[in-house]
Amino acid sequence: MSASKYSEEFKRQVVLEVVEKSRTISEVAKSYGLVPQTVGNWVNKWRKTHSGIEGEEMTAAQLAEYKKIKAELREARMEIDLLKKAAAFFAQESR
């Protein structure tokens, strides 16, 4: 078997785009020219090795709350982007 095509640092950078910036796997894969399944595998592997909060395992309730907050954050960011585009559109229209 040959050596990995991508460096560990590159994989880490890609995974952190998903994990820390709340971007979807598909978005990140597309932006790096990768297959979504590959990015998904990297994210799943990262989550298995980093599944705790400060070294402790997350409870099911903590994990559910974390996922809920992450989804809300993603939605809020999308709404902010939409509002920015709308403001720019109306600013341009009023000229």
Side-chain angles (χ1 to χ4, degrees):
M1 182 175 260
S2 64
S4 179
K5 184 175 178 178
Y6 304 103
S7 71
E8 289 302 316
E9 181 59 31
F10 176 76
K11 291 179 186 179
R12 182 178 179 278
Q13 178 182 345
V14 171
V15 167
L16 292 179
E17 288 276 329
V18 174
V19 175
E20 292 181 350
K21 297 183 179 179
S22 300
R23 294 180 62 204
T24 66
I25 289 173
S26 297
E27 289 174 339
V28 173
K30 186 176 180 182
S31 70
Y32 284 95
L34 299 168
V35 177
Q37 183 176 357
T38 300
V39 175
N41 290 341
W42 294 346
V43 169
N44 289 335
K45 182 179 176 184
W46 185 90
R47 286 184 175 149
K48 284 179 185 176
T49 60
H50 298 83
S51 64
I53 299 174
E54 298 178 9
E56 297 177 13
E57 291 295 318
M58 293 177 94
T59 66
Q62 288 173 323
L63 184 58
E65 181 69 12
Y66 170 76
K67 287 181 179 182
K68 179 183 170 206
I69 291 170
K70 191 171 177 179
E72 289 174 357
L73 176 61
R74 185 178 310 121
E75 186 176 332
R77 286 181 174 160
M78 288 171 52
E79 289 173 359
I80 289 168
D81 288 342
L82 178 64
L83 290 171
K84 284 180 182 177
K85 290 176 184 176
F89 174 79
F90 288 114
Q92 193 176 30
E93 287 289 314
S94 66
R95 290 184 190 165

